[in-house]
Amino acid sequence: MQTLVAEFPELRARRMRRTRTMRQLVRETSLSPDDFVYPLFVRYGEDVKNPIKSMPGQFQMSVDRLKAEVKELKSLGIKAVILFGIPAHKDPNGSDNYNPEGIVPQAIREIKNAAPDMLVISDMCFCEYTDHGHCGIINMPESSHYSDRVPEGYLLNDATLHLLAKASVVHASAGADIIAPSGMIDGMVRAIRGGLDVSGYKNTAILSYAAKYASSFYGPFRDAAESPPSFGDRSEYQMDPANRREALKEVALDVAEGADMLMVKPAMPYLDIIREVRDRYTLPLAAYQVSGEFSMIHAAAQNGWLDLERAALESLLSIKRAGADLILTYFAKDAVKWMGG
Ligand code: PBG
């Protein structure tokens, strides 16, 4: 006699996974080109497109190359870029960052000319522009900001805030839609908001790198942006990877100072932080899948140890699932192509 008691009564989970269309129907998280911000490294020169060795498929480009790049991004449906500048000359104050003819202001104008609706985010930090490679003004006897009340080599907070505000106004006046302070300098959001407001750039938004960790995963970027610190490291101003509550404190400060959007960086090693910030705050949340996260997936794929496409898309999905609204990623262009395929 046929029994009505099923041999395997619980197939409820597997029924929902049986076919591709069924899986698509019940999928909780999806990726879209709208989610991505593509990082661009801009340098002086003409017709320059230098491959970055440690970041396959990524380049340092001269300004005249940006038009074609932006056209390609638009054709893929990518709507935002973040700019990093490599100046011709570095000095103790990182003056190229606030020079209206500096590399990033030039790049912003070029992109806005080529594609007015491309959203331009300007990474706001001094490490690419200073000769010592730190993210702000360093106390040195030869500096005009020298103070004998703090040790030599100390990052001077107030002098740095002043220059961050100044540079932000220059980038905003060149056409940047969003200023993204990335130096973890105390008070940076308030100083930049103040500078933008008094200069009439009330509509320029601030995306704060609110919880930025002192991470080993920035290694390839420092080649790409030619910005390794010439002495010491950044652990005096970036966060200790061991800390979770401190991230929430940093985020709270930036929210109070007027940030419009928040960022957690890096992404994959800090998915727990992304989730907590998502659950506690309502502001849009970005996550930066940094150079090392990108390069290690490529390196493994080059060895035949991982499938590049699947690993990259899975990593992006995990970041979205953790709660990021947008992802800054070097995979943006490839991901869009793979998603369509
Ligand atoms: C600072 C900045 C860094 C990155 C983005 N902005 C470098 C750092 O803090 O050392 C790293 C991004 C990456 O690794 O992809 N201007």
Side-chain angles (χ1 to χ4, degrees):
M1 198 181 72
Q2 201 182 345
T3 173
L4 288 175
V5 178
E7 215 176 325
F8 301 108
E10 274 304 343
L11 284 176
R12 203 183 293 163
R14 286 188 49 195
R15 272 196 293 270
M16 291 291 100
R17 296 179 197 135
R18 208 169 51 84
T19 63
R20 186 175 154 86
T21 42
M22 185 68 92
R23 289 193 296 274
Q24 282 167 336
L25 189 74
V26 299
R27 184 163 289 157
E28 297 174 38
T29 312
S30 59
L31 292 169
S32 140
D34 292 347
D35 301 333
F36 300 140
V37 177
Y38 189 60
L40 290 172
F41 297 97
V42 197
R43 66 173 306 131
Y44 282 101
E46 269 168 49
D47 204 22
V48 181
K49 197 172 175 187
N50 293 342
I52 300 164
K53 244 179 71 193
S54 53
M55 299 173 69
Q58 308 301 309
F59 300 87
Q60 295 179 338
M61 268 175 251
S62 51
V63 171
D64 56 355
R65 287 284 198 132
L66 289 173
K67 198 172 175 172
E69 183 67 25
V70 169
K71 291 260 142 79
E72 187 195 350
L73 290 168
K74 275 197 70 164
S75 73
L76 290 166
I78 295 168
K79 301 177 177 66
V81 293
I82 183 161
L83 298 179
F84 298 97
I86 300 122
H89 303 289
K90 303 191 184 212
D91 57 35
N93 288 351
S95 63
D96 196 85
N97 198 17
Y98 50 83
N99 178 353
E101 294 309 317
I103 187 67
V104 167
Q106 281 187 42
I108 297 168
R109 286 193 292 267
E110 180 78 6
I111 293 173
K112 284 292 178 183
N113 274 334
D117 55 349
M118 177 61 74
L119 209 70
V120 177
I121 307 176
S122 189
D123 179 85
M124 180 49 63
C125 190
F126 277 96
C127 63
E128 296 119 71
Y129 305 97
T130 51
D131 50 11
H132 45 69
H134 280 282
C135 299
I137 306 305
I138 294 291
N139 199 35
M140 292 187 291
E142 55 274 29
S143 160
S144 51
H145 299 277
Y146 182 71
S147 160
D148 56 13
R149 284 175 298 158
V150 290
E152 272 178 39
Y154 184 77
L155 192 147
L156 296 168
N157 216 81
D158 292 352
T160 303
L161 290 181
H162 174 76
L163 290 182
L164 281 172
K166 181 169 165 168
S168 298
V169 170
V170 168
H171 293 206
S173 76
D177 301 284
I178 301 176
I179 304 293
S182 64
M184 290 294 282
I185 309 299
D186 284 346
M188 65 185 183
V189 173
R190 177 176 289 130
I192 291 172
R193 184 72 271 156
L196 292 171
D197 286 354
V198 298
S199 309
Y201 296 103
K202 291 188 191 292
N203 284 324
T204 307
I206 297 179
L207 163 59
S208 179
Y209 285 65
K212 176 174 177 181
Y213 286 87
S215 172
S216 59
F217 289 97
Y218 307 146
F221 174 94
R222 291 176 185 173
D223 289 344
E226 301 177 11
S227 65
S230 61
F231 65 91
D233 62 25
R234 297 191 175 137
S235 42
E236 282 180 27
Y237 38 95
Q238 298 181 351
M239 281 185 46
D240 183 340
N243 293 355
R244 181 183 68 85
R245 293 191 310 269
E246 190 191 358
L248 299 174
K249 184 188 82 181
E250 287 285 353
V251 168
L253 285 169
D254 284 359
V255 171
E257 288 183 25
D260 299 291
M261 305 161 97
L262 303 166
M263 194 195 300
V264 172
K265 174 185 173 188
M268 269 228 284
Y270 299 91
L271 293 177
D272 56 331
I273 308 297
I274 295 174
R275 169 49 55 196
E276 279 208 63
V277 175
R278 165 74 301 140
D279 286 346
R280 286 174 199 233
Y281 293 90
T282 54
L283 293 180
L285 177 61
Y288 200 141
Q289 182 180 50
V290 301
S291 55
E293 299 179 68
F294 172 83
S295 298
M296 70 181 176
I297 292 175
H298 265 286
Q302 275 170 15
N303 275 297
W305 297 337
L306 281 181
D307 179 299
L308 179 66
E309 174 176 336
R310 290 185 54 205
L313 290 178
E314 186 177 331
S315 70
L316 292 166
L317 203 56
S318 75
I319 297 164
K320 187 90 185 287
R321 193 191 62 236
D325 300 299
L326 51 146
I327 307 173
L328 291 78
T329 175
Y330 305 98
F331 281 123
K333 291 200 282 187
D334 286 336
V336 172
K337 291 173 198 159
W338 294 328
M339 282 150 52

